[in-house]
């Protein structure tokens, strides 16, 4: 919200993130001194990707209507000042700061122009006034956990990522169905103990990032806030700036991991340092420059992989209860 909050539209899957994201009587989202802030909404657990996709398409359609009216007015009987502002906006409509600056100029000029216009010119000016909220480039974000992204809502998520539309997806990966009591999900790694995997999960974790990268035109990143704040910030800003679908997967420690949640950021740091959670960015824009789009941001693992696993009850309990299979898993 500190990066994009004054122009952000959020579709939030039902789950832990929607409980701290928008349940009454407390809401963490607010407006800045100019009265601008995130627009937040929560639909069903299953359809969050499609829900956010609809928001993105609506924004795209309204901004296209704005652009049509702006282009028509460039050849109409309006002031040179308005034409200059319209041309500036058309040239910079996908730039967050410039689109707002030119949009504010246009909005300020509209009342005077409308008072002396008629016919088609008045209709085009009225369209600009009706959709003036959309002069500023919007930042559409689809937020949700791994239960939604890897499992129940994966079909929708895959559809939206494949569409090529300019949406940003942020997945909070707790590696378990957190909101419904800690059941095993496709995001649960091998050996982790969870409901429906009481003797440790026997198959490997689904690699959502790798699946998304196969499209070649989806920006993909894995992040860990406590491990590398700069890499997180870079991934967020690159994803938002990328004119296409973006997927950011964030390692999210959970009470179901059997850890002291006061040290969740330290857990993230250890997960990255031991190689449990590699940090990377896949930026399709680099392909166009003839570069490798994949960048591994984390360092060589420090050799403390087992130590990290055994610091979490979901792994250490397997060793206590099923020592015969724990070693192999």
């Amino acid at each position: 919200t500190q990066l994009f909050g004054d122009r952000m539209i959020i579709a939030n899957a039902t789950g832990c993130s929607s409980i701290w994201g928008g349940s009454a009587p407390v809401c963490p989202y607010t407006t800045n001194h100019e009265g601008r802030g995130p627009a937040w909404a929560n639909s069903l657990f299953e359809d969050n990707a499609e829900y956010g996709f609809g928001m993105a398409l609506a924004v795209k359609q309204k901004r296209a209507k704005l652009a049509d009216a702006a282009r028509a007015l460039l050849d109409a009987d309006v002031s040179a000042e308005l034409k200059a502002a319209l041309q500036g906006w058309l040239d910079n409509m996908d730039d967050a700061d410039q689109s707002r600056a030119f949009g504010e100029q246009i909005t300020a000029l509209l009342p005077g122009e409308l008072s002396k216009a008629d016919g088609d010119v008045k209709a085009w000016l009225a369209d600009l006034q009706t959709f003036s909220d959309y002069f500023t480039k919007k930042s559409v974000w689809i937020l949700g956990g791994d239960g939604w992204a890897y499992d129940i809502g994966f079909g929708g998520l895959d559809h939206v990522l494949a569409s090529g539309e300019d949406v940003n997806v942020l997945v909070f990966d707790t590696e378990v169905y957190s909101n419904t009591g800690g059941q095993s999900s496709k995001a649960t790694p091998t050996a982790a103990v969870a409901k429906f995997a009481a003797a440790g999960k026997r198959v490997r974790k689904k690699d959502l990032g790798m699946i998304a990268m196969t499209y070649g035109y989806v920006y993909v990143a894995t992040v860990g806030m406590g491990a590398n704040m700069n890499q997180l910030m870079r991934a967020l800003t690159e994803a938002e700036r990328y004119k296409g679908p973006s997927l950011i997967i964030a390692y999210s420690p959970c009470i179901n991991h059997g850890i002291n949640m006061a040290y969740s950021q330290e857990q993230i740091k250890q997960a990255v340092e031991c190689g449990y959670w590699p940090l990377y960015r896949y930026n399709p824009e680099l392909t166009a420059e003839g570069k490798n789009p994949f960048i591994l941001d984390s360092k060589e693992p420090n050799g403390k992989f087992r130590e990290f696993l055994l610091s979490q009850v979901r792994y250490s309990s397997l060793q206590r209860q099923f020592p015969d299979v724990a070693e192999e898993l």
Side-chain angles (χ1 to χ4, degrees):
T1 58
Q2 291 177 57
L3 290 171
F4 322 114
D6 60 351
R7 56 189 180 89
M8 213 174 171
I9 299 173
I10 300 168
N12 201 150
T14 303
C16 297
S17 59
S18 70
I19 302 311
W20 53 250
S23 57
V26 175
C27 177
Y29 300 112
T30 187
T31 52
N32 61 16
H33 64 285
E34 295 172 316
R36 300 188 179 114
W40 181 95
N42 160 239
S43 182
L44 300 173
F45 179 61
E46 301 89 340
D47 73 354
N48 190 53
E50 300 92 319
Y51 186 51
F53 188 47
M55 294 176 183
L57 292 180
V59 168
K60 184 180 180 181
Q61 189 271 339
K62 289 173 181 176
R63 298 192 87 224
K65 196 170 179 72
L66 267 179
D68 287 343
R71 278 188 282 267
L73 285 164
L74 290 176
D75 298 320
D77 183 20
V78 294
S79 69
E81 196 180 1
L82 178 61
K83 286 184 180 181
L86 289 170
Q87 189 62 61
W89 182 77
L90 285 167
D91 292 342
N92 297 279
M93 64 183 288
D94 290 325
D95 181 283
D97 295 331
Q98 293 290 331
S99 63
R100 169 171 288 149
F102 284 111
E104 287 173 349
Q105 287 179 34
I106 296 165
T107 303
L109 294 166
L110 284 177
E113 298 286 343
L114 274 163
S115 66
K116 57 189 181 188
D118 55 20
D120 286 342
V121 174
K122 191 157 193 164
W124 294 326
L125 290 167
D127 278 345
L128 294 187
Q129 197 166 53
T130 301
F131 297 110
S132 60
D133 282 355
Y134 292 87
F135 278 124
T136 302
K137 184 202 173 195
K138 299 290 183 259
S139 187
V140 181
W141 285 83
I142 297 170
L143 311 182
D146 56 89
W148 157 70
Y150 285 71
D151 281 282
I152 306 299
F154 174 71
L157 175 65
D158 180 61
H159 174 70
V160 172
L161 292 177
S163 73
E165 293 292 338
D166 191 8
V167 295
N168 306 289
V169 181
L170 176 59
V171 177
F172 310 109
D173 194 347
T174 66
E175 303 189 316
V176 75
Y177 278 103
S178 299
N179 192 53
T180 50
Q183 295 87 353
S184 175
S185 81
K186 288 192 187 76
T188 305
T190 311
V193 171
K195 290 179 182 176
F196 306 132
K201 191 165 174 225
R202 301 304 169 100
V203 291
R204 65 171 291 178
K205 174 177 176 148
K206 179 178 180 175
D207 196 334
L208 187 63
M210 187 180 285
I211 291 168
M213 281 187 278
T214 60
Y215 283 112
Y217 53 83
V218 180
Y219 180 96
V220 186
T222 54
V223 298
M225 181 187 280
N228 191 330
M229 183 71 80
N230 289 334
Q231 190 264 357
L232 166 67
M233 294 291 279
R234 185 175 294 179
L236 289 170
T237 51
E238 285 180 351
E240 203 276 337
R241 194 170 59 240
Y242 178 64
K243 290 184 174 66
S246 304
L247 171 67
I248 298 178
I249 308 169
Y251 183 61
S252 305
C254 175
I255 194 72
N256 286 303
H257 294 177
I259 59 170
N260 181 342
M261 289 296 287
Y263 300 102
S264 60
Q265 296 300 321
E266 179 61 29
Q267 279 282 321
I268 296 172
K269 185 171 183 284
Q270 290 172 11
V272 171
E273 287 176 348
C274 76
Y276 180 88
W277 187 266
L279 302 181
Y280 64 78
R281 287 169 295 129
Y282 178 92
N283 189 349
E285 288 182 338
L286 296 176
T287 309
E289 298 171 19
K291 298 175 184 174
N292 186 344
F294 184 88
I295 301 163
L296 182 65
D297 289 316
S298 46
K299 297 173 183 174
E300 192 78 18
N302 62 11
K304 297 181 179 178
F305 188 84
R306 177 185 291 265
E307 201 175 300
F308 171 74
L309 292 188
L310 296 180
S311 72
Q312 301 187 357
V313 174
R314 60 175 172 156
Y315 291 110
S316 62
S317 62
L318 183 73
Q319 201 174 46
R320 289 195 303 273
Q321 292 178 283
F322 302 96
D324 51 330
V325 294
E327 195 62 32
E328 181 189 348
L329 292 176

